Each structure stands twice: as C-alpha cells, then as structure tokens.
Amino acid sequence: MQEAVHIDELDRAIVAALQLNGRAPWSLVARLVGASESTVVRRAALLGESGLLRVIGVVDVLRCGLGVPVLSRFRCRPGTTYDVAACIAERPQARFVAVVSGSADCVAEFVVPTHAEIGRVMVADVPGGDRVTESETHAVMRTFVSNHDWNPGVLGERATAELRDSAEQPFEDRFPQSPSERLDELEHAIVQALGEDGRMSYKALAQAVGASESTAKRRVESLVRRGCLRFRTLAEPEVLGYAVEFMLWLEVEPGLLERAGQQLAAHPATRYLSATTGRFNLVGQVALRHYGDLFPYLTDDVGSLPGLRAADVTLQLTTLKRAWVPTPAARTENPAS
C-alpha cells in the first residue's frame, strides 16, 4: 500500500461495497456505508488516483472459449526472483503474478489458447530463461470460487445481502458444465472497453463502441446473464484489513476432491479456489487478517478437509499483477531479491 494514502474505515467500507458489487450505484453505496453520495464519490476517486482501487470488467475465458487458465510455480536462481517475476508479468498471457516465499519463489496464472500451448509457454519459451531453475504447471479443471465472489466481511449482513442481491450470482453456481458462449464483434468491443473501466456509464460505453445507449445496456446485461462478463474490484487485501495473503497448494484424494473443494470454498478467507491437474489438485488463494491466524487456519480448517494428503503454503510477498492489471507494487521500483 502506498504510505502517502491514509485508509480509514469509510474508505474500507467503500472498497468492500464495490468488492461485493463492482457496478453498485453510488447512491446505494453511500446509503449502506452511512455517508453522502458526494463524499463516497470523492473518496473513491482519491483511492482510484492512488492506484488502490479500480473496477474492471473481466471476460470469463473458459465460458467464452477464449483460453485455458494454468497455474505455474517457479524456482529461481538466487538474486533473480524479482527480475523473473517482472519478466513473467510482461507476458500478455500472464493474468496473475506474485513473488512468494516457501517451496516456490514466484507463482503465476497464465491464460493460453489451448492445452497444447502450455508446452510452448513453459518449455520452449520459459519466462525468465535460464534464471528459472525449476517450474511446474497445473491446468485448471474446475473453479469453485473466484476473487469476484469474495466477501471481505467488512459490511454487515444486511448491507452485504442488498449488494449481492443486485449483482449476478457467481458464475460457478450457474454454469457448471454448460457449452461455451461465442462473443460477436460488438461484444468483444464492449468487454474491451469495460476492461479499462468497469464502472463506465452506458452512455460513455455506447460512444466507445459505436452503438446506441440502449443497445450497449442490453448487450452488457446479456453478457452478464450468460456468464461471459464479471466485474472485478481490484484492491489489495491490506486495504480491506487483511495483512496476510498466500497461495495454498493441496493434494487431495481424487474421490474426495469435490467435497474438499466445496468445504474450503465456503471458508470466508478463501478468495479463489480451483481443482487442477498435477502434483497439487486443489489450489487456492487465501487472505487472513493477522499472521497469527495462519497456524490455526492450517491446523483446524485445512487439517479438517476430507481426503487431505499434503499441504503447502507460499506466502505472497509482492503481487505484481492481478486480472491482467499491474498492481501499485509493480509500478514502483522492485526491491532487491
């Protein structure tokens, strides 16, 4: 977090409201956080200018047949980790990149056109070149919960329900195994424009894509209803009061993978969770408020998962990219590795 920006409880409440519903009207956000609409708009603008808050539209690549997500772990030569992570973050296929500690030095999520492309990205053209001493890649088979759906627990139950009720249900709950959708030229233009500004008005969107305002609104609603478009609030967990973020790599008995995934997905600390191929078949991203919460989380919550064979944790030290967007940390000079 940038030290020059002081985050207070009102800021945190505004970010939490947008995490629950990225396109919630400012009037609704203002009422639920107990401030005037002008104050909320001003605070959100300041957070946006500082790089601490941004709402974007995100196309669901699996739903739309636009690619296959894969999660990769890298071990690097001493002193090269941040250089390798920066190299990975420059790749257009990289959707998420973080420097971590533990059994890996950095982790990344790539979106590749097909499974066959994994070999080209991770073998023939390894990001970081010979500075990478070891890597392994896990293809995502099923997503239990994603960052779009995370409830940071900042707002009360009534406010949370009101914001959630005015947003679409999680993609994973509505389209578990449906055929892929195909976007037309106008829809591609719409998701590209919303990828820059997810709170863009329908009037501005219509001007950007060369359509009428009613057409733009109708197409956005269709994309969301079909599970093609989600709205993602980009804010570092520490803005919401979470001091620890980490990747969780689990090996679970195949016959109990669904049960374990559902149980862990329901935990309030789980930001993301998917079933994957490879040595670890259940991979998650988790945020905790305090470092002291890590031990009981691992012993009680992870330890109680059915069919658990092995667990590995990589603490996120610096996150360089989320949802294809560079983070505030990526726009400052990298620390020495």
Side-chain angles (χ1 to χ4, degrees):
M1 190 187 306
Q2 296 180 3
E3 294 182 359
V5 180
H6 174 69
I7 304 298
D8 63 16
E9 292 303 315
L10 178 57
D11 294 320
R12 191 165 288 118
I14 293 169
V15 175
L18 294 178
Q19 168 63 31
L20 293 165
N21 184 345
R23 280 184 70 86
W26 289 125
S27 57
L28 174 61
V29 174
R31 176 167 60 81
L32 294 177
V33 303
S36 68
E37 185 172 345
S38 60
T39 297
V40 167
V41 171
R42 178 173 55 82
R43 291 291 192 98
L46 290 173
L47 290 168
E49 291 168 4
S50 69
L52 297 179
L53 174 65
R54 184 178 177 184
V55 177
I56 61 172
V58 178
V59 65
D60 193 291
V61 293
L62 279 175
R63 177 66 176 153
C64 298
L66 297 176
V68 178
V70 297
L71 296 165
S72 299
R73 296 158 47 99
F74 300 87
R75 293 291 287 180
C76 307
R77 296 188 185 282
T80 68
T81 297
Y82 278 92
D83 290 337
V84 170
C87 180
I88 295 171
E90 290 176 355
R91 295 293 181 94
Q93 306 100 325
R95 180 158 62 177
F96 164 80
V97 182
V99 173
V100 299
S101 67
S103 60
D105 295 317
C106 59
V107 298
E109 181 193 31
F110 297 96
V111 176
V112 295
T114 65
H115 290 99
E117 290 293 306
I118 296 174
R120 184 182 64 80
V121 174
M122 298 305 300
V123 179
D125 188 20
V126 179
D130 61 5
R131 291 170 294 184
V132 174
T133 59
E134 182 182 338
S135 68
E136 59 180 311
T137 296
H138 307 259
V140 173
M141 298 186 293
R142 172 188 180 343
T143 301
F144 290 95
V145 67
S146 65
N147 281 283
H148 314 74
D149 309 315
W150 182 53
N151 176 9
V154 173
L155 300 177
E157 292 184 6
R158 182 175 298 178
T160 297
E162 191 165 350
L163 286 160
R164 285 296 197 207
D165 286 347
S166 59
E168 284 291 327
Q169 294 177 342
F171 167 85
E172 295 79 16
D173 293 346
R174 296 184 293 136
F175 305 101
Q177 294 178 338
S178 299
S180 296
E181 290 279 343
R182 290 292 182 267
L183 306 187
D184 61 25
E185 185 177 350
L186 177 57
E187 289 171 334
H188 275 290
I190 287 172
V191 298
Q192 184 175 359
L194 291 174
E196 294 296 321
D197 179 6
R199 291 190 61 84
M200 179 183 292
S201 69
Y202 288 119
K203 181 178 180 180
L205 178 61
Q207 294 174 343
V209 302
S212 68
E213 186 173 345
S214 60
T215 296
K217 184 176 185 295
R218 186 173 64 253
R219 289 298 190 96
V220 169
E221 291 172 346
S222 173
L223 286 166
V224 172
R225 185 174 60 252
R226 287 150 52 201
C228 299
L229 177 67
R230 309 288 299 278
F231 291 97
R232 170 85 183 268
T233 297
L234 297 176
E236 294 303 294
E238 59 188 298
V239 174
L240 291 161
Y242 289 80
V244 181
E245 187 177 19
F246 57 93
M247 297 292 294
L248 187 64
W249 310 83
L250 305 177
E251 180 187 351
V252 178
E253 293 178 22
L256 296 172
L257 186 57
E258 177 70 20
R259 280 181 54 194
Q262 293 288 356
Q263 181 174 321
L264 192 58
H267 194 285
T270 304
R271 288 169 53 86
Y272 166 85
L273 185 69
S274 65
T276 64
T277 63
R279 176 164 61 106
F280 300 106
N281 57 2
L282 193 60
V283 180
Q285 186 180 50
V286 182
L288 299 173
R289 293 193 178 278
H290 309 286
Y291 183 76
D293 297 331
L294 184 57
F295 182 78
Y297 171 81
L298 290 175
T299 55
D300 299 338
D301 300 308
V302 175
S304 67
L305 292 175
L308 182 66
R309 292 175 175 172
D312 187 28
V313 169
T314 53
L315 291 171
Q316 287 177 221
L317 306 180
T318 305
T319 303
L320 301 180
K321 204 173 186 182
R322 297 184 193 268
W324 281 292
V325 177
T327 66
R331 293 190 285 269
T332 62
E333 185 178 355
N334 287 334
S337 179

